[in-house]
Amino acid sequence: MIIEKIKWVIANSVENLYPGISIQIDLEIPPEGFGDFSTTIPLKLAKILKKPPIKIAEEILQNIKSDIFQSIQISKPGYLNFLLSLDTYKEFLVSLEKDKEKYFYKKPNDKKVQIEFVSANPTGPLHVGNGRGGIIGDVLANLLKTQGFEVEKEYYVNDAGSKIDSFAESIFYYYLLDCDIKTNFPEDGYKGDYIKDIAKKIFNESGKRFSKMVKKNAIEQIKEVGKNFMINDIKLSLEAFGINFDSWFYETTLYKNEEIQKTLNIFKNTPYTYTSDNAIWFKSTSFGDDKDRVLVRGSGEPTYTLTDATYHRNKWERGFHKVIDIWGADHFGHITPMKALIQGMGLPKDFLDIIIYQIVHLFEDGKEVMMSKHTGSFVTLDELIEEVGKDAARIFFLLKSADTHLNFDVNLAKSRTIENPVYYMQYTFARLTNIFKEGIKRGIKYEGIARAESLKLNKEERNILNSLIFVEELLNKVSNDYSVSKIPFATLELAQKINAFYQKHKVLQAGKLTQQRLALVNTSLITLSLLFDVMGIKKIEKM
RNA sequence: GCGCCUAUAGCUCAAUUGGAUAGAGCAACGGACUUCGGAUCCGUUGGCUGCGGGUUCGAAUCCUGCUAGGCGCGCCA
């Protein structure tokens, strides 16, 4: 791992020169003309050491002893710019070719991580907003796997509580209409066509049977049918979007085995609960919340707050070292209470990370499409995937960082699918694979980089190699800050460099350089393949 | 009212978390190849980083006061 080595060399030098100072080594690909890689470490140290950055850069430079570099230079305010030696590039090509995608994988670190995402209530089909959370979670899971984590993807099914009740009552209302019985539409009911479809389906299968039962029992049974229907529908949508969950966790299971009662007992044994107005309260203000939260209602029923605490306690007991929840911005207000609950139960504060992604706004014909399950007006994820295709839709979501608002222009997505960058990536991949095919036709055999003699690199080749090497740092960075949108950007940049090279230099008619260039093509394909896998998009050899 | 998110080229977005000349794609204009895929490449035009102050060697990024849009502020989930 070249990046790791470079960082190690710099860190070592810093440690020798300034004992006791610990600092994170940063590496970046500098603007053209400033070397292959660079670091701002002297600038950062300048603050701590209160010394001019150029002076520090000089000291570090003097102290570094390594044959990784061809040369090291200092520039303006205090950058260190590194030029890699040809042997380093050769060594990189050899190991990447040998280990293939695994080159970028870290050894297992025995840390179990759970990512919980989508988790939309099973009261309606997934809409495009759910797609955004889905992509972030799915890609993050793929990424963390490369970094040695054992990752589990979980969907939390809120199949208890008032939402699902109102869902069942809504179906029942339409079912009764099918039986020619007119009742009052339930308050906060759901009006989408899919509700009517489920009602019709039940009517067609069971006739008027439920209309003759005690209402409560009828609704209870209809709830089961409707719920299962919706969950199945959601599973199909996710599958079409390329997302597979390892685990489906049902909220109702928390109500079994007195799990909620156990959680309540834990809280009661802390100084953080009290009773007021017949309700049991959690003193979340002790953990920075702006008001306390009810755990058990005056009626004796647990609140969502208590079941969610129970759910997270359950995660802890399943042995995860880290749990990541991905929520839409409409759940923002729940972050502080949730983190307070974690601490209130005595779990480590950093056990839970929460990623918030901003709401998706849909625009059609220049007008915003209001999305609501209650009114039944929204664009489903299925419709989107059908219009633009799975890979294009995935990249469309992935390209926006989670904390920016996403304005989704439906017309644009429908009419300009060709302009989606995913095609550029896939095209690049297809072109490269074609070089090998063409080589076979012409009787040119690739013998492997290990047998090639010393390298001779032009500017374009060096650019590609630097990007390939830097993927190591990209993955590392994203695993720390969860900024999955960096992956498609880096992939596009790599593809751009590859195309620039492709345009300017021939591979199969390069004489003595042909083998070296085939090695570059081969390792580029390996790296693209890894990036495509992390993003969950298809590798296409023929477009 | 309070908390958080956002505001960057005509449009959609970046900017390695305080670093080099703020970069890409689309759009517009001008170029490039008789043999590995033109769904490509190269170049030009386009910026008071929403507005005003401050912090320092250095600010799109930090602090502060505004403006505009969004999300939230239940014994709902």
Side-chain angles (χ1 to χ4, degrees), chain A residues 109-350:
Chain A
N109 61 17
D110 296 323
K111 290 257 160 61
K112 276 176 71 181
V113 177
Q114 188 219 48
I115 307 180
E116 183 226 314
F117 57 109
V118 186
S119 301
N121 287 341
T123 55
L126 296 180
H127 54 72
V128 293
N130 299 128
R132 189 175 192 189
I135 274 308
I136 295 171
D138 193 47
V139 174
L140 186 60
N142 291 339
L143 180 104
L144 291 179
K145 283 177 194 167
T146 70
Q147 299 300 292
F149 293 94
E150 189 184 318
V151 184
E152 185 183 285
K153 293 181 278 187
E154 179 156 289
Y155 190 117
Y156 180 50
V157 185
N158 290 104
D159 61 337
S162 62
K163 302 268 186 206
I164 194 89
D165 288 342
S166 143
F167 165 73
E169 282 164 23
S170 305
I171 297 173
F172 191 55
Y173 167 83
Y174 287 111
Y175 168 81
L176 289 179
L177 280 187
D178 289 333
C179 303
D180 294 319
I181 302 169
K182 172 90 175 120
T183 54
N184 289 329
F185 188 73
E187 210 180 318
D188 291 328
Y190 295 83
K191 285 184 171 157
D193 287 339
Y194 65 94
I195 298 279
K196 294 169 195 165
D197 291 345
I198 297 172
K200 184 75 84 192
K201 196 166 175 276
I202 294 172
F203 179 76
N204 288 341
E205 280 171 10
S206 311
K208 296 185 176 178
R209 189 161 65 86
F210 292 110
S211 68
K212 291 163 191 155
M213 292 169 62
V214 178
K215 188 183 171 192
K216 200 181 143 205
N217 294 343
I219 286 178
E220 212 42 49
Q221 289 186 32
I222 278 175
K223 194 203 282 186
E224 278 308 301
V225 176
K227 179 177 101 180
N228 290 332
F229 181 87
M230 249 18 282
I231 291 171
N232 195 47
D233 187 73
I234 287 170
K235 282 185 178 171
L236 289 174
S237 302
L238 289 168
E239 199 179 313
F241 205 31
I243 299 175
N244 292 299
F245 282 90
D246 304 304
S247 156
W248 292 73
F249 191 96
Y250 290 81
E251 184 184 357
T252 41
T253 61
L254 294 172
Y255 290 82
K256 296 163 190 164
N257 306 323
E258 311 240 298
E259 285 301 312
I260 291 177
Q261 187 60 42
K262 281 182 206 161
T263 308
L264 185 60
N265 290 340
I266 290 172
F267 278 108
K268 279 183 172 169
N269 284 328
T270 69
Y272 304 122
T273 55
Y274 61 91
T275 304
S276 169
D277 295 332
N278 275 333
I280 301 173
W281 293 74
F282 168 54
K283 242 189 199 171
S284 55
T285 45
S286 302
F287 302 97
D289 203 355
D290 53 2
K291 68 187 94 165
D292 292 338
R293 308 283 163 171
V294 172
L295 293 176
V296 182
R297 285 181 260 256
S299 64
E301 288 171 28
T303 59
Y304 165 77
T305 308
L306 182 56
T307 47
D308 232 19
T310 307
Y311 176 43
H312 283 80
R313 182 173 64 80
N314 175 287
K315 293 185 184 194
W316 171 261
E317 282 170 3
R318 279 189 271 164
F320 294 108
H321 297 86
K322 168 79 82 185
V323 159
I324 302 169
D325 289 2
I326 301 178
W327 297 347
D330 52 339
H331 291 81
F332 175 81
H334 194 51
I335 295 177
T336 312
M338 191 64 241
K339 293 202 163 168
L341 289 166
I342 294 284
Q343 293 174 77
M345 289 186 286
L347 304 183
K349 200 175 168 182
D350 62 356

Side-chain angles (χ1 to χ4, degrees), chain A residues 425-441 498-499 502 507-508 518 520-526 528-529 532 538-543:
Chain A
M425 303 178 194
Q426 289 174 326
Y427 175 69
T428 308
F429 190 89
R431 281 181 131 177
L432 290 188
T433 56
N434 204 51
I435 292 178
F436 279 106
K437 285 184 195 159
E438 187 63 26
I440 289 167
K441 272 190 214 161
I498 290 170
N499 284 319
Y502 185 97
V507 173
L508 296 175
L518 282 170
L520 188 65
V521 170
N522 187 34
T523 48
S524 295
L525 279 169
I526 292 167
L528 283 176
S529 168
F532 282 27
K538 223 182 291 156
K539 288 163 260 183
I540 294 177
E541 301 199 350
K542 226 185 218 157
M543 298 195 63

Side-chain angles (χ1 to χ4, degrees), chain A residues 38-58:
Chain A
S38 69
T39 180
T40 59
I41 281 301
L43 292 160
K44 303 245 156 72
L45 284 172
K47 242 175 260 171
I48 305 171
L49 301 168
K50 302 205 164 38
K51 272 164 85 167
I54 295 279
K55 186 114 203 291
I56 296 169
E58 279 164 2

